[in-house]
Amino acid sequence: MVTITVSCRYCGNPDQVRRKGLATNGHQRYKCEACKRSFQLAYTHRAHEPGIKEEVIEMALNGSGIRDTARVLKINMNTVMSTLKKKPRQSSL
Ligand SMILES: [Zn+2]
């Protein structure tokens, strides 16, 4: 049996992460008991992986077009558009 230590994606806590069932596509979901947030280690779509949203915004700020961003990050153009149209979270301002 192989034990995999999973650290929380949001707070980095490795001690309070519990398995929390399967997503509909079969990927294992985890829940952090410290910050009460849930996450997965693997996603079906690359656009859901952590850090992709920030890369889309950074590329837009550096003058990359939508098609350019979609090709480089290997995500759909519509995903790039919807990410750019979303309002920033109040906590990040
Ligand atoms: Zn956490």
Side-chain angles (χ1 to χ4, degrees):
M1 186 177 150
V2 179
T3 305
I4 302 169
T5 305
V6 179
S7 296
C8 176
R9 173 178 155 180
Y10 301 103
C11 68
N13 192 335
D15 300 324
Q16 291 183 292
V17 175
R18 304 279 180 266
R19 286 160 53 116
K20 192 177 186 283
L22 298 177
T24 52
N25 52 29
H27 288 127
Q28 179 67 50
R29 290 192 62 79
Y30 296 92
K31 180 173 185 182
C32 175
E33 298 295 336
C35 65
K36 307 289 183 197
R37 298 177 81 173
S38 61
F39 57 93
Q40 295 175 202
L41 293 182
Y43 291 89
T44 304
H45 300 286
R46 186 168 149 69
H48 287 177
E49 291 175 6
I52 293 290
K53 201 163 98 176
E54 290 78 11
E55 277 191 64
V56 168
I57 294 169
E58 188 176 325
M59 286 185 76
L61 292 176
N62 287 321
S64 296
I66 292 163
R67 289 179 177 177
D68 182 24
T69 304
R71 188 182 65 243
V72 169
L73 297 180
K74 294 180 180 143
I75 58 177
N76 197 299
M77 275 195 335
N78 295 327
T79 309
V80 176
M81 275 303 296
S82 64
T83 302
L84 294 175
K85 283 182 170 180
K86 280 179 186 161
K87 291 180 183 176
R89 297 178 76 181
Q90 292 296 324
S91 59
S92 64
L93 292 175

